Amino acid sequence: MKLIYQHMLSFLLIILTTVSIIGFSEINNVTKQSYAHNYQRMEDFASALGTLAASEEKNGSAMLNPKFLHRLQFVLHSDKVYFSVFNTRGKQIYPKRNNKIKLSDKRFAQVKRGKKLHIKNNNEIISQLGHTKDTCTGVLLPWRDQGKFIGAIWLGVRVSTVERPIRSAKQNLFSALVTALIVGLILSFILSFYATNRIKNLSQATQKVAAGDFDVQANYSGNDEITQLADNFNQMVRALKKSNQEVKAQEKRRDQFMADAAHEMRTPLTTINGILEGLQYDAIPDKAKPKSIALMSRETKRLIRLVNENLDYEKIRNNQIDLIKTKFNARKVLDDVTMQLKHNAAKANDKIIISAPIDLPIYADRDRFTQIMVNLIQNAIQFTTDGRIEITGYRAAHATIISVKDNGIGMSHEQLKYIFERYFKADPSRTRSGKGEYGLGLSIVSSLIKQHGGKIRVQSKSNQGALFTIILFDKGYEQYLDN
């Protein structure tokens, strides 16, 4: 069932239930009032009859006199009031019937004790059938003369007469119900169409997003749940658009990496293949063979380095490495790495300066910490020419903080968003031999630091250098975050 029909059905059920409850309550009230008014009217008639009977005969026996009762019936008939008189044994003495009619033992005993009975259906007081053609309602009262029980009188009117206001109320209820259903049908359609149309528009917007259109926005006003849903939808679309843009940027960088990797692999493979063919056909002079073999060795190592960096990153990212964390002196590692990369720095006319205490305790995997520092310092060398690379280390509360600062080309705000992503290179045109040229070094650094339970931050502006800061916490104070 469509949502609009569900809403309409809900509105109609509410209207129907409300009108029914109010209507049945009103009918019940009218019914009670009609019968209560009739009982009071019959009691007033009975009181008047008693006064009239007393004026006819002083001993009150007129109530049992057929002539008096006949005249009385003629008077009451004009008001459509019926009455019956019963003697002291509960037998009906007026009007006389061919079959004997008497009060039921239960009702007669109650009346004899002086109780006034309100009878909704006169069949309840008669022990035999055939007393009346139509059902009547009224009162059954004891008749006494000077305290002595001399009989009982029943006065009533037909039930159809009493229930005439009830039938009118039922007709009014039916008319009100039909009117309410018609009006409710129209109003429910309008309200349901308004509500479902907003949902329909939101559904159409969702279909557009599913088709790849991330510029869709659902503009609703108000404070209801649909407006809140639209706001959440808009936030989701903006997040999807941003994510989609990032995915496209990553795909672009991946494609660039594949092109770079293909180029990097094609060149050494071509060189190696050419040397092998030269050696095979003895086309290389003996004097040139050592240089050719050395060149082939360097190109082979270049290929191995490219493959190893990819494999290393995959292991780190998938937590397939075991960290052997110990406490050691970080200053010695910094000195060793500086000595290792001093030659590369000299090629770029860079100076590496260490500012750290002789004893700088750190809790980490020594080999992986060395790998982190090699990547950070090599990255600084790669993008700095004729500059300074400052390595600073110091202790903080339950942590060791080490920073690598350079005054190279720096990075823009947009580049900083992707600096730790795989295959990203701030300046693709600047590739040199050595680590970091394939855009994997900083991704490896970020993954390793997170697996250590540490943190890494970067600050940079274009043409103003970069500052990388890592924090490695002491044992028991690590802060493991989701990658």
Side-chain angles (χ1 to χ4, degrees):
M1 184 183 293
K2 289 187 176 181
L3 186 60
I4 185 172
Y5 299 135
Q6 295 179 21
H7 278 246
M8 291 178 63
L9 182 60
S10 299
F11 287 133
L12 290 176
L13 287 175
I14 292 173
I15 293 173
L16 181 62
T17 303
T18 303
V19 173
S20 299
I21 293 174
I22 295 175
F24 286 123
S25 299
E26 181 63 22
I27 290 175
N28 186 53
N29 185 49
V30 171
T31 301
K32 289 182 179 179
Q33 289 182 354
S34 296
Y35 278 95
H37 176 72
N38 179 67
Y39 294 147
Q40 184 61 48
R41 180 167 168 261
M42 294 301 101
E43 288 183 7
D44 292 341
F45 270 118
S47 178
L49 291 178
T51 303
L52 182 61
S55 65
E56 288 287 331
E57 297 183 22
K58 292 184 178 180
N59 60 1
S61 60
M63 184 60 68
L64 304 178
N65 189 328
K67 294 183 179 180
F68 172 77
L69 295 176
H70 185 70
R71 294 196 307 271
L72 184 61
Q73 184 181 21
F74 181 79
V75 174
L76 293 178
H77 187 268
S78 61
D79 288 328
K80 296 183 178 180
V81 176
Y82 303 92
F83 74 95
S84 299
V85 178
F86 300 88
N87 61 18
T88 55
R89 294 189 299 276
K91 293 183 179 180
Q92 181 174 313
I93 60 174
Y94 188 88
K96 292 185 177 180
R97 304 285 183 182
N98 292 330
N99 54 337
K100 296 181 179 180
I101 300 174
K102 64 180 296 186
L103 295 175
S104 64
D105 295 339
K106 179 181 178 181
R107 297 298 187 185
F108 181 72
Q110 290 175 330
V111 174
K112 195 171 183 180
R113 289 196 301 268
K115 187 176 181 180
K116 297 179 180 180
L117 301 180
H118 294 168
I119 307 300
K120 194 171 184 178
N121 187 327
N122 61 341
N123 289 333
E124 300 176 7
I125 63 171
I126 306 299
S127 61
Q128 297 181 19
L129 298 177
H131 59 289
T132 57
K133 184 177 182 181
D134 297 313
T135 302
C136 295
T137 179
V139 295
L140 181 64
L141 304 173
W143 182 258
R144 294 181 180 275
D145 180 36
Q146 297 180 356
K148 182 180 178 182
F149 179 75
I150 61 174
I153 184 171
W154 179 85
L155 292 97
V157 297
R158 290 183 176 177
V159 172
S160 58
T161 302
V162 177
E163 292 189 350
R164 188 177 295 121
I166 302 174
R167 290 194 298 272
S168 177
K170 289 180 178 180
Q171 292 175 354
N172 292 336
L173 172 62
F174 180 76
S175 300
L177 183 60
V178 172
T179 304
L181 287 176
I182 295 173
V183 175
L185 185 64
I186 298 173
L187 291 178
S188 64
F189 177 77
I190 295 173
L191 294 174
S192 300
F193 179 80
Y194 172 73
T196 55
N197 189 56
R198 298 169 73 195
I199 298 175
K200 183 178 179 181
N201 292 336
L202 194 58
S203 177
Q204 292 174 348
T206 304
Q207 293 175 356
K208 291 181 180 180
V209 173
D213 184 1
F214 297 105
D215 293 323
V216 178
Q217 289 289 291
N219 298 318
Y220 292 157
S221 59
N223 295 317
D224 57 8
E225 288 77 4
I226 297 180
T227 303
Q228 294 175 2
L229 179 62
D231 292 339
N232 294 335
F233 172 81
N234 292 337
Q235 294 178 7
M236 180 194 71
V237 172
R238 288 192 291 268
L240 287 175
K241 182 178 181 180
K242 182 178 178 182
S243 176
N244 185 60
Q245 291 172 345
E246 292 178 356
V247 168
K248 289 182 178 180
Q250 291 178 7
E251 289 179 350
K252 183 178 180 180
R253 290 193 297 273
R254 183 192 63 188
D255 293 340
Q256 182 63 44
F257 165 77
M258 295 302 294
D260 292 345
H263 174 73
E264 293 291 340
M265 295 176 71
R266 186 183 296 113
T267 301
L269 286 173
T270 302
T271 301
I272 294 170
N273 186 62
I275 294 173
L276 288 174
E277 287 181 353
L279 292 173
Q280 182 181 3
Y281 296 105
D282 202 18
I284 300 176
D286 292 339
K287 292 182 180 181
K289 285 183 179 179
K291 291 183 179 180
S292 298
I293 294 173
L295 176 59
M296 188 167 57
S297 177
R298 287 196 301 271
E299 293 301 300
T300 302
K301 290 178 180 178
R302 186 177 173 190
L303 287 172
I304 293 172
R305 184 171 64 252
L306 175 60
V307 174
N308 284 341
E309 281 198 354
N310 275 279
L311 293 176
D312 200 19
Y313 176 80
E314 290 298 333
K315 288 181 179 180
I316 293 171
R317 189 181 68 169
N318 296 321
N319 293 323
Q320 292 179 353
I321 62 170
D322 293 326
L323 297 179
I324 304 174
K325 297 167 70 174
T326 59
K327 188 175 182 181
F328 58 91
N329 187 1
R331 176 58 187 262
K332 291 182 178 180
V333 176
L334 297 179
D335 290 336
D336 293 342
V337 173
T338 301
M339 184 63 65
Q340 178 185 346
L341 299 177
K342 189 175 182 180
H343 179 69
N344 290 344
K347 288 181 181 180
N349 199 25
D350 293 333
K351 292 183 179 180
I352 301 177
I353 301 172
I354 299 178
S355 177
I358 300 299
D359 185 15
L360 182 59
I362 191 170
Y363 181 68
D365 183 302
R366 188 183 186 103
D367 292 337
R368 294 302 177 178
F369 176 70
T370 302
Q371 185 179 5
I372 291 170
M373 297 312 303
V374 167
N375 278 284
L376 289 177
I377 298 172
Q378 179 61 44
N379 183 75
I381 294 172
Q382 182 180 354
F383 297 104
T384 304
T385 303
D386 299 324
R388 289 165 54 92
I389 299 171
E390 299 179 9
I391 305 170
T392 304
Y394 59 93
R395 286 285 300 172
H398 307 296
T400 301
I401 301 176
I402 298 175
S403 62
V404 178
K405 180 180 180 182
D406 64 70
N407 56 355
I409 63 173
M411 290 170 285
S412 66
H413 178 71
E414 188 67 23
Q415 289 172 328
L416 283 175
K417 295 180 181 179
Y418 310 107
I419 191 63
F420 294 117
E421 292 188 12
R422 191 181 187 186
Y423 307 136
F424 178 79
K425 290 186 284 187
D427 186 1
S429 65
R430 296 174 59 119
T431 53
R432 302 186 184 143
S433 60
K435 288 192 179 289
E437 62 180 311
Y438 305 114
L440 291 171
L442 292 180
S443 297
I444 293 174
V445 168
S446 177
S447 295
L448 284 173
I449 289 175
K450 287 181 179 179
Q451 290 185 55
H452 273 81
K455 295 181 180 180
I456 183 168
R457 295 192 295 262
V458 58
Q459 296 172 284
S460 182
K461 291 184 179 180
S462 296
N463 301 316
Q464 295 185 22
L467 172 62
F468 287 86
T469 303
I470 66 172
I471 304 174
L472 294 178
F473 295 94
D474 295 341
K475 185 176 182 180
Y477 293 91
E478 297 94 333
Q479 298 182 17
Y480 294 99
L481 303 175
D482 293 334
N483 290 328

